[in-house]
Amino acid sequence: MKSVLVILTKSNLNSLQIYESLSATMVLATFGCDVKVLLQDAALNLLKSELQFNSLKHAFKLASNLVDSFEFYDLSPIYLEKHQQSHLDVFKNHPDIEFIELNSQFIKQFDHVLYW
């Protein structure tokens, strides 16, 4: 089985690209790839599941709703870099977070890396 690391950097309501990236990630997991997800930078706000979609304010649907369904696709835990532990968007009550050190040794564990 191929292992894939998906690195997401786009924010929740920034563009349709993050919604498509998350959908593609779930498709990979559905068809037998061992997929792990790393959230970086603006993508940390994907952990904010209390946001409500408002069609008058937001152009795109909430991508964080897709992240909430990761457990059904065996995409847990979600990786975050250790230096982001104190970031405001990282909620301590989120059960499926693992802090990692992003380095070449970590990257070598995977057959493929997708950076979106």
Side-chain angles (χ1 to χ4, degrees):
M1 177 180 346
K2 295 287 184 179
S3 61
V4 179
L5 175 64
V6 176
I7 301 174
L8 299 172
T9 60
K10 303 291 186 213
S11 68
N12 196 9
L13 296 166
N14 190 29
S15 69
L16 189 56
Q17 180 187 0
I18 189 63
Y19 200 82
E20 291 173 344
S21 299
L22 286 167
S23 296
T25 299
M26 291 189 287
V27 167
L28 287 171
T30 300
F31 288 101
C33 289
D34 180 24
V35 180
K36 297 295 180 190
V37 177
L38 170 67
L39 301 181
Q40 286 185 325
D41 305 325
L44 288 176
N45 77 357
L46 291 170
L47 297 174
K48 285 185 169 183
S49 59
E50 78 278 357
L51 294 174
Q52 297 294 319
F53 177 72
N54 181 342
S55 61
L56 298 175
K57 291 169 82 176
H58 307 121
F60 305 105
K61 291 182 180 180
L62 295 172
S64 60
N65 293 343
L66 293 177
V67 174
D68 289 341
S69 67
F70 272 12
E71 64 184 294
F72 302 113
Y73 293 88
D74 293 327
L75 292 170
S76 297
I78 298 169
Y79 291 145
L80 300 178
E81 293 179 80
K82 284 185 180 179
H83 68 85
Q84 295 174 326
Q85 280 180 315
S86 62
H87 197 280
L88 296 175
D89 291 340
V90 179
F91 298 103
K92 292 178 182 156
N93 61 352
H94 201 290
D96 297 324
I97 294 176
E98 183 176 327
F99 293 97
I100 55 102
E101 198 66 48
L102 184 61
N103 54 33
S104 61
Q105 187 176 10
F106 178 77
I107 298 277
K108 287 180 184 177
Q109 297 176 41
F110 300 94
D111 296 316
H112 304 284
V113 177
L114 299 174
Y115 187 82
W116 284 319

